[in-house]
């Protein structure tokens, strides 16, 4: 028998995502009622600028007092899509204290304070759902928390930022430089006026922290994630990648150590073979590989940002939380029982592509090879081009620890015959 008393939802934020959530809740109210088993009512919308025109959003629901809204006591679910650390953190904890469950899209807050938020939710018998915090409409969080709960996940590898993928895709397909590709991304609305969070990898790092924590049942914070941006990637790097049958992507990589005693989480540009499925992810799309012992390799692909895709993930969480409310139950909370340490980047083992500017004279290759050997880094291939006293030397290594490679590069810089290190890039996906 369907309950007639509505479940009430408070919406914090009514920007691109929030307004789309409000629109869907209003236009699809009957469908949501059938899917949940009770009416779902939008009870209030907290905004900073009440005079702003919001098409399709009921004006009578608008308020500027977010704290009063979450304290009402009759609110069943609070949806937080305002972003940032404060006031979002305070509003979420206040919502828990007043009996509401929370649906959030706030990757930065979850990556920084996810453990404390989960603890607050558990203390008050509430849900904390956040599918929309990672990769927009692509279902990732729930498959990791629920569908793969009985499996052992060893690796999560993927493209989790649409802005950077658009820029790198344009550089690859058209030969454009970074600045030119960024300008195009900005003109099309893929990049913010200040793109720092995207192009310097902060956005992807927050998502990597969330995914690693869920995948490995351990606590991984934003500060644990090694982060490198993609602003230094050049057209020359793409030319080198093509010579190797590769392209370049900004990847989030979360791995369990081979001995199972630690994990790593990192974000950085990397060359990947054109044969790898991630190489064909174009424009502003996202794609993530999950490698598990029993399930094998799973790929999740789709739009990773935007109002409608992100709102889709938010609505999915709203339905799940409302169903839990009706059943007087809660969904899965934090699982951090493994308490695995996060290893530093220096211990990460991968392949490397190093481009050196060297003097074009006999013996240079031998000197460079000796430095690699002295630091225990094995060379896979070498390409050399010389012209008018100058030469470029491209070295691709076998798998080596990051610390050993860093020491090698430091020693190379000391050689008189090495004029400079043009670029260093990891090679993944092999």
């Amino acid at each position: 028998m369907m309950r007639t008393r509505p479940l009430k939802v408070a919406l914090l934020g009514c920007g691109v995502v929030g307004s789309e959530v409000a629109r869907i809740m209003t236009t699809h109210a009957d469908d949501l009622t059938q899917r949940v088993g009770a009416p779902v009512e939008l009870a209030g919308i907290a905004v900073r600028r009440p005079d702003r025109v919001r098409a399709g959003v009921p004006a009578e629901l608008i308020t500027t007092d977010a704290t009063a809204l979450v304290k009402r006591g009759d609110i069943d679910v609070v949806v937080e899509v305002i972003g940032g650390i404060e006031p979002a953190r305070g509003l979420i904890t206040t919502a828990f204290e007043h009996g509401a469950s929370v649906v959030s899209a706030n990757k930065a807050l979850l990556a920084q304070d996810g453990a404390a938020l989960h603890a607050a939710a558990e203390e008050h018998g509430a849900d904390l759902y956040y599918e929309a915090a990672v990769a927009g409409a692509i279902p990732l969080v729930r498959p990791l928390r629920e569908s793969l709960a009985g499996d052992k996940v060893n690796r999560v590898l993927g493209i989790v930022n649409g802005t950077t993928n658009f820029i790198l895709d344009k550089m690859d397909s058209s030969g454009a430089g970074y600045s030119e590709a960024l300008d195009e991304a900005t003109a099309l609305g893929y990049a913010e006026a200040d793109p720092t969070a995207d192009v310097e990898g902060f956005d992807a790092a927050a998502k990597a922290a969330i995914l690693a924590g869920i995948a490995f049942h351990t606590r991984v914070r934003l500060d644990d994630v090694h982060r490198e941006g993609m602003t230094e990637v050049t057209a020359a790097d793409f030319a080198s990648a093509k010579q190797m049958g590769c392209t370049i992507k900004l990847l989030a990589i979360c791995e369990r150590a081979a001995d199972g005693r630690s994990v790593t989480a990192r974000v950085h540009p990397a060359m990947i073979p054109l044969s790898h499925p991630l190489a064909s992810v174009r424009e502003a799309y996202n794609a993530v590989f999950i490698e598990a012992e029993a399930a094998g390799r799973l790929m999740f692909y789709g739009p990773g940002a935007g109002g409608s895709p992100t709102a889709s993930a938010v609505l999915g969480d709203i339905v799940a939380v409302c169903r839990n409310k009706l059943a007087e139950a809660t969904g899965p909370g934090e699982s951090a029982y493994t308490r695995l340490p996060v290893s530093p980047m220096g211990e990460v083992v991968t392949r490397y592509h190093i481009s050196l500017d060297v003097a074009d004279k006999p013996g240079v290759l031998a000197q460079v090879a000796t430095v690699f050997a002295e630091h225990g880094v094995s060379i896979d291939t070498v390409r050399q081009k010389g012209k008018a006293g100058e030469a470029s030397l491209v070295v691709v290594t076998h798998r080596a620890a990051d610390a050993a490679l860093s020491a090698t590069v430091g020693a190379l810089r000391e050689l008189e015959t090495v004029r400079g290190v043009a670029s260093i890039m990891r090679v993944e996906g092999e």
Side-chain angles (χ1 to χ4, degrees):
M1 182 176 178
M2 184 171 292
R3 193 179 90 167
T4 57
R5 184 175 69 81
L7 291 154
K8 295 189 176 183
V9 177
L11 179 60
L12 308 182
C14 199
V16 174
V17 176
S19 59
E20 189 66 10
V21 170
R23 184 192 67 79
I24 295 173
M25 288 190 66
T26 302
T27 58
H28 298 291
D30 291 342
D31 287 335
L32 291 175
T33 296
Q34 294 300 320
R35 294 168 191 173
V36 170
V40 180
E41 176 185 299
L42 188 55
I45 304 172
V47 300
R48 286 185 296 177
R49 296 187 292 273
D51 297 332
R52 181 178 175 184
V53 177
R54 296 172 174 87
V57 176
E60 66 272 16
L61 297 181
I62 298 293
T63 178
T64 58
D65 195 340
T67 301
L69 179 60
V70 300
K71 283 183 174 181
R72 273 178 37 172
D74 64 336
I75 299 297
D76 296 288
V77 183
V78 170
V79 177
E80 182 272 308
V81 287
I82 56 179
I85 305 303
E86 291 293 355
R89 175 170 48 196
L91 291 169
I92 289 173
T93 55
T94 300
F96 291 144
E97 292 166 358
H98 287 77
S101 290
V102 172
V103 172
S104 177
N106 196 331
K107 54 190 169 287
L109 178 59
L110 289 160
Q112 178 172 306
D113 289 323
L117 295 177
H118 275 293
E122 183 178 1
E123 178 185 354
H124 296 284
D127 274 323
L128 174 62
Y129 276 49
Y130 43 89
E131 185 67 67
V134 182
I138 304 172
L140 279 175
V141 172
R142 194 167 297 136
L144 282 170
R145 290 174 78 174
E146 301 177 28
S147 304
L148 295 172
D151 207 339
K152 181 180 180 182
V153 176
N154 291 316
R155 195 176 196 225
V156 180
L157 166 73
I159 300 163
V160 295
N161 183 277
T163 300
T164 55
N165 198 57
F166 180 89
I167 293 170
L168 292 172
D169 181 44
K170 290 302 175 184
M171 293 176 69
D172 184 27
S173 61
S174 69
Y178 166 75
S179 297
E180 184 181 351
L182 174 59
D183 288 343
E184 183 175 354
T186 303
L188 292 172
Y190 291 124
E192 301 287 346
D194 180 1
T196 302
D198 293 321
V199 300
E200 293 295 350
F202 291 101
D203 175 85
K207 296 170 182 175
I210 294 169
L211 292 174
I214 300 171
F216 306 133
H217 303 279
T218 197
R219 287 179 177 169
V220 179
R221 300 180 73 251
L222 181 58
D223 291 345
D224 295 322
V225 181
H226 174 82
R227 176 195 55 79
E228 297 174 25
M230 41 77 70
T231 58
E232 301 301 318
V233 176
T234 66
D237 291 327
F238 274 100
S240 293
K242 287 181 178 180
Q243 289 180 338
M244 292 179 58
C246 292
T247 188
I248 299 172
K249 300 291 186 181
L250 184 76
L251 298 179
I253 306 170
C254 312
E255 294 177 306
R256 188 191 301 268
D259 62 8
R261 296 180 181 177
S262 63
V263 299
T264 59
R266 51 196 165 104
V267 168
H268 54 70
M271 294 182 180
I272 57 172
L274 294 175
S275 58
H276 195 284
L278 288 178
S280 61
V281 178
R282 308 296 300 274
E283 301 286 331
Y285 277 76
N286 286 187
V288 177
F289 266 90
I290 296 175
E291 299 177 12
E293 285 195 356
R297 301 177 75 193
L298 309 172
M299 182 174 176
F300 299 80
Y301 169 85
S308 294
T310 306
S312 172
V314 170
L315 265 296
D317 279 352
I318 291 173
V319 169
V321 170
C322 286
R323 287 172 175 170
N324 291 344
K325 284 281 186 178
L326 289 180
E328 297 182 348
T330 56
E334 183 189 34
S335 176
Y337 72 92
T338 63
R339 297 182 176 84
L340 295 172
V342 182
S343 296
M345 187 62 189
E347 297 179 13
V348 171
V349 176
T350 189
R351 297 181 67 203
Y352 292 86
H353 176 282
I354 304 105
S355 179
L356 305 172
D357 294 326
V358 299
D360 186 16
K361 62 182 183 180
V364 172
L365 181 56
Q367 291 180 352
V368 169
T370 298
V371 170
F372 276 89
E374 288 174 345
H375 291 84
V377 179
S378 176
I379 293 175
D380 182 17
T381 62
V382 178
R383 299 196 309 274
Q384 184 173 7
K385 293 181 180 179
K387 182 179 179 180
E390 296 291 334
S392 63
L393 198 63
V394 176
V395 179
V396 179
T397 74
H398 288 290
R399 290 174 63 83
D402 188 85
L405 194 283
S406 295
T408 302
V409 172
L412 288 171
R413 295 182 191 276
E414 298 298 318
L415 294 177
E416 291 184 2
T417 51
V418 174
R419 307 289 171 79
V421 179
S423 69
I424 304 171
M425 193 166 295
R426 297 171 183 87
V427 183
E428 301 284 349
E430 296 183 314

